[in-house]
Amino acid sequence: MKLRTRLSLGLGAIAVAFAVTGYLVATTQHRYLTEQVDRDLQRSLPVAMGVLGNHVGPVPPDDGASLSKLYIGHLSTDDTLVTFVQGQSTTGAPDITVAVARVHVRPGSSEPFTVDGVGTSERWRVLIAARPQSDGFEIIALSLESTDAAYQRLLIATGVGAVAVVAIILLIAAWVMRLGVRPIREMTATADAITSGATGARMASYPAGTEAAHLANAFNSMLDERDEADERLRQFVADASHELRTPLTSIRGYADLYRQGGLHDNDRLDDAMRRVSGEAERMGAIVNDLLLLTNLDRGLQLRLEPFDIADVLADAVADARVVQPGRPVTLTTEQSLFGTADRQRLHQVIAALVHNALVHTPEATAIDVTGRSELGGVVIEVIDHGAGMDDETAARAFERFYRGDPSRSRHNGGSGLGLAIAKSIVEAHGGRIALHTAPGAGCRFTVTLPGPLVSPSSG
C-alpha cells in the first residue's frame, strides 16, 4: 500500500472517529435530558393525580418550569382524548391510542415513553396512570420541545465542528502531501531515472529545514561523491594501465627484436635481458604497490608490536646516506622512542618520505629526520629544504599516480604511489600524515602515530 493511501486512510479514520464521538456525545446528552424530563414527570405525578381527583395539592417547589409544560388528560376506550390541563408553554396534545397505552401500562407502575404530538411538531414524554373504577387511561405528559431543541443545537454544533475538523484534516493532508509524499514520489522518479542511465539527474530543492530538503541534499551529496569516486577510479585505471603499459612495451619490443634475429651478438643479448629484467622488476613493484593499496583499503591486518621507533628512523637515514653519500641527512630523536606499531610498514612509510625528498631535491639539499614523543603518541617529521610545492601540487601530493614534477620520467621519478601508500599505512595505524609546504620553503611531512608509549622493558 502506498504512503499516500495509508495517509488518506489514517486521516479519514480520524474524521470518522470524530464524527462517531460527536454523535455519541449528542446522543448521551439527549438521553440525559430525557431522563431529566422523566424525573420532572414523576415529580409532577401528585399534582396530576390531584387534578384528576378534582382537588389540587400543593405544587412541589422549583417545578414551575415543569408545570408550564404539563399536559393532563383522559383517554377513553374509544380512543377519545379529553384534555384537563394544558401547560402554558405547550400546544396540541400527545398522539396516543388505547392500544399504545395498554402496551406501556404496568400493574402498579408505568414507565415513561415518547410519542408524537397532534397538531404540533413537538414530542411528548408520556406516563400512563390507571385509576380503579375508571374506564380508559389517565394521560400525564411533559413536552420535549426544549429537550429536542437542545439536542438539535448540539447536533448542529457537532456537525459544524465535524466540518471544521474535516477542513483542517484536508489542509493537513494537502500540506503533508506537498512536503512529504510528493518529495518522496519525485525522489523515487529521480532514482529510477538514475538507474536507467541518467547519471546527471539530481534531486530538486525543497523548503529548508524539512526532512525532504535534508534527504535531497544528502542524496545529491552521495551522488556527487559517487561521481567523484567513479572519476577517480577511471583515472586510477587509466594511470595504472599507462604505468604497466610502458614496461610491457619495452619487454615486447625486446622480444620482437630477438624473434626477428636482431640480438645475435651476446653483448647485445645480455644488455637486452638486463633491460627486460629491469622492466619486469619495475612492473612487479607497481603491481605489488597496487596490491598493497588494495589491502590497505580493505583493512590490512597490521602486526603491531612495541619497539624503539628511533631504530627505524636510524635505518631509514642510513639507507639514504648509502644511496646519496654526499647528501647531508641528519637524524634528531630521543634516545629511546618506544611505541607500538607495525615495524615493517612504519619503515616503509619513513623510507617513502625520505625517498621522496631524495628524488625531488638537489643532492646538496639537506634532509632532516626527527622523532619525538608527545602526549598520546609519537610524532615523526621528514623535512627537506628544497623548492617546496605550490598549493595545487600540495593538495594532490597524496593522490595515487600523481607526480608533482611532470618533467621527471617514470624511471627516475617513481610510480607516484609512494606517498599514497604512506598515507594509507599511517591511517591504518589510526594516525595522520600532513604536509606543510610553500614555494621556496621546502616540505615538512609530519606523521603522528597515536597510542600510549611503552617502556623499554615492555618491549
Side-chain angles (χ1 to χ4, degrees), residues 408-427:
R408 292 185 175 270
S409 68
R410 290 175 174 81
H411 294 280
N412 58 18
S415 64
L417 294 175
L419 293 182
I421 292 175
K423 181 176 183 291
S424 297
I425 292 175
V426 172
E427 291 178 349

Side-chain angles (χ1 to χ4, degrees), residues 378-437:
V378 174
V379 177
I380 302 169
E381 290 186 335
V382 177
I383 306 169
D384 69 63
H385 302 277
M389 304 180 189
D390 56 31
D391 292 340
E392 180 181 358
T393 303
R396 301 185 59 188
F398 295 103
E399 291 185 11
R400 299 172 185 183
F401 293 114
Y402 178 72
R403 292 184 180 85
D405 185 0
S407 64
R408 292 185 175 270
S409 68
R410 290 175 174 81
H411 294 280
N412 58 18
S415 64
L417 294 175
L419 293 182
I421 292 175
K423 181 176 183 291
S424 297
I425 292 175
V426 172
E427 291 178 349
H429 280 81
R432 63 183 184 275
I433 184 170
L435 169 60
H436 306 276
T437 184

Side-chain angles (χ1 to χ4, degrees), residues 339-350:
T340 302
D342 187 316
R343 180 189 292 267
Q344 179 183 354
R345 298 305 177 191
L346 182 59
H347 183 276
Q348 189 173 0
V349 171
I350 306 305

Side-chain angles (χ1 to χ4, degrees), residues 12 36 43 64 72 94 124 153 195 236 242 255 261-262 274 292 295 310 363 367 379 394 438 442 459:
Q36 181 112 18
R43 295 173 63 184
I72 303 174
W124 298 84
R153 288 193 299 271
T195 303
F236 177 77
H242 190 72
R274 181 183 59 81
L292 176 58
N295 290 331
E363 190 169 343
I367 298 175
V379 177

Side-chain angles (χ1 to χ4, degrees), residues 245-451:
R245 185 184 296 114
T246 301
L248 284 174
T249 301
S250 298
I251 293 173
R252 185 181 298 112
Y254 285 114
D256 291 342
L257 184 60
Y258 176 77
R259 188 173 58 252
Q260 294 170 7
L263 297 176
H264 291 297
D265 183 76
N266 288 336
D267 292 337
R268 293 187 63 189
L269 180 60
D270 291 342
D271 183 67
M273 290 301 100
R274 181 183 59 81
R275 293 178 181 275
V276 168
S277 177
E279 295 294 342
E281 289 179 1
R282 193 165 71 86
M283 185 170 62
I286 294 174
V287 172
N288 289 335
D289 288 343
L290 292 175
L291 290 176
L292 176 58
L293 283 171
T294 301
N295 290 331
L296 289 170
D297 290 341
R298 296 173 58 183
L300 177 66
Q301 188 68 32
L302 300 175
R303 300 179 60 183
L304 301 177
E305 58 179 340
F307 63 93
D308 190 352
I309 296 177
D311 293 341
V312 175
L313 302 182
D315 291 342
V317 170
D319 294 340
R321 289 169 178 169
V322 171
V323 173
Q324 295 184 7
R327 168 89 67 167
V329 182
T330 61
L331 172 63
T332 304
T333 181
E334 299 174 5
Q335 185 175 5
S336 296
L337 190 61
F338 278 83
T340 302
D342 187 316
R343 180 189 292 267
Q344 179 183 354
R345 298 305 177 191
L346 182 59
H347 183 276
Q348 189 173 0
V349 171
I350 306 305
L353 297 178
V354 172
H355 175 76
N356 183 77
L358 293 175
V359 170
H360 293 285
T361 60
E363 190 169 343
T365 302
I367 298 175
D368 300 326
V369 178
T370 66
R372 65 182 182 275
S373 61
E374 289 188 354
L375 182 62
V378 174
V379 177
I380 302 169
E381 290 186 335
V382 177
I383 306 169
D384 69 63
H385 302 277
M389 304 180 189
D390 56 31
D391 292 340
E392 180 181 358
T393 303
R396 301 185 59 188
F398 295 103
E399 291 185 11
R400 299 172 185 183
F401 293 114
Y402 178 72
R403 292 184 180 85
D405 185 0
S407 64
R408 292 185 175 270
S409 68
R410 290 175 174 81
H411 294 280
N412 58 18
S415 64
L417 294 175
L419 293 182
I421 292 175
K423 181 176 183 291
S424 297
I425 292 175
V426 172
E427 291 178 349
H429 280 81
R432 63 183 184 275
I433 184 170
L435 169 60
H436 306 276
T437 184
C443 297
R444 184 174 80 251
F445 289 89
T446 303
V447 175
T448 304
L449 297 177

